Amino acid sequence: EIVLTQSPATLSASPGERATLSCRASQSVGSSLAWYQHKPGQAPRLLVYDASSRATGIPARFSGSGSGTDFTLTISTLEPEDSAFYYCQQRFKYYTFGQGTKLEI
Amino acid sequence: QVQLQESGPGLVEPSETLSLTCTVAGVSVTNDYWTWIRQPPGKGLEWMGYVSYSGSSNWDPSLKSRLTLSVDTSKNQVSLKFTSVTAADTAVYYCARLLGGGPFDHWGQGTLVTVSS
């Protein structure tokens, strides 16, 4: 099983700041990595797929980068509504998710 | 737009079979792959398996013997049957569309299932 480790577990930041969320895979997943935003009680929302492609309708302030084992989701200018859990997910071998980063604005 | 809505019993007794339905709107279930993902309380997301109308399917190896996924084109629904449940299967269950074998691009809001007597 490919294990995804996200850091930090919790990130506190202020509106207007930049947030950097990390995801490390236990083995190479190429570019087969996606990021999701999840607010309690809501459907998770796809943000980025294939490591760096923004999903339809996602604001440009969300960007993904990385390949192999190390990936990053960057939110360039935080807004209050960005408070949520963020999960990375790989599709290289079956499908697994990271344990999540809680972003508090 | 594509919308998914899970439905099913909120409470299931141990050793029984959990049955859930995902009603899809905005697209035909004959297209794409459909998947189930769950999240136990306080834990992360766990992929369970996917199915397509054409018969393609795959499951998490640890769940394969207990899991049946199917597509009902007459109702535009996707269904899950999960046998011999235990308290460890208590979770919020989500259905999602698996876009071209890649990311999960549309999700339902999830339904909480508690396994308890």
Side-chain angles (χ1 to χ4, degrees):
Chain A
E1 177 183 326
I2 297 177
V3 177
L4 299 179
T5 302
Q6 292 186 240
S7 61
T10 303
L11 177 62
S12 296
S14 299
E17 291 186 336
R18 180 187 188 94
T20 302
L21 286 65
S22 297
C23 176
R24 174 165 290 180
S26 59
Q27 66 184 77
S28 177
V29 299
S31 296
S32 300
L33 191 108
W35 290 92
Y36 300 86
Q37 179 191 68
H38 189 199
K39 299 179 181 180
Q42 297 186 17
R45 178 189 183 195
L46 173 66
L47 299 175
V48 170
Y49 63 96
D50 292 346
S52 60
S53 296
R54 244 186 327 272
T56 302
I58 301 303
R61 56 199 180 81
F62 290 91
S63 63
S65 62
S67 66
T69 60
D70 290 299
F71 300 86
T72 300
L73 175 71
T74 301
I75 310 172
S76 60
T77 307
L78 287 169
E79 298 190 3
E81 61 265 29
D82 296 334
S83 290
F85 288 89
Y86 291 82
Y87 295 94
C88 58
Q89 170 252 319
Q90 65 82 23
R91 63 176 180 87
F92 186 81
K93 183 176 182 181
Y94 292 107
Y95 304 88
T96 55
F97 293 84
Q99 82 280 16
T101 290
K102 182 179 181 180
L103 176 60
E104 300 174 329
I105 309 298
Chain B
Q1 76 265 27
V2 179
Q3 292 184 312
L4 294 81
Q5 179 66 59
E6 305 88 348
S7 59
L11 181 65
V12 181
E13 294 199 355
S15 79
E16 296 296 310
T17 295
L18 166 63
S19 296
L20 295 175
T21 298
C22 175
T23 300
V24 179
V27 67
S28 171
V29 294
T30 58
N31 302 322
D32 300 309
Y33 293 77
W34 304 94
T35 192
W36 289 90
I37 294 160
R38 66 179 180 173
Q39 185 172 31
K43 296 187 178 181
L45 296 161
E46 302 174 354
W47 173 73
M48 300 181 73
Y50 70 70
V51 66
S52 74
Y53 170 66
S54 65
S56 296
S57 58
N58 202 356
W59 306 265
D60 180 299
S62 67
L63 303 177
K64 183 176 180 179
S65 64
R66 300 167 55 202
L67 188 61
T68 301
L69 304 179
S70 59
V71 174
D72 184 340
T73 59
S74 67
K75 298 180 180 178
N76 217 45
Q77 292 177 335
V78 184
S79 295
L80 169 150
K81 291 190 185 300
F82 196 39
T83 62
S84 306
V85 296
T86 70
D89 296 313
T90 293
V92 176
Y93 286 77
Y94 297 93
C95 62
R97 184 174 76 168
L98 178 57
L99 184 62
F104 308 113
D105 72 331
H106 287 88
W107 298 59
Q109 290 193 317
T111 186
L112 174 61
V113 176
T114 302
V115 180
S116 174
S117 55

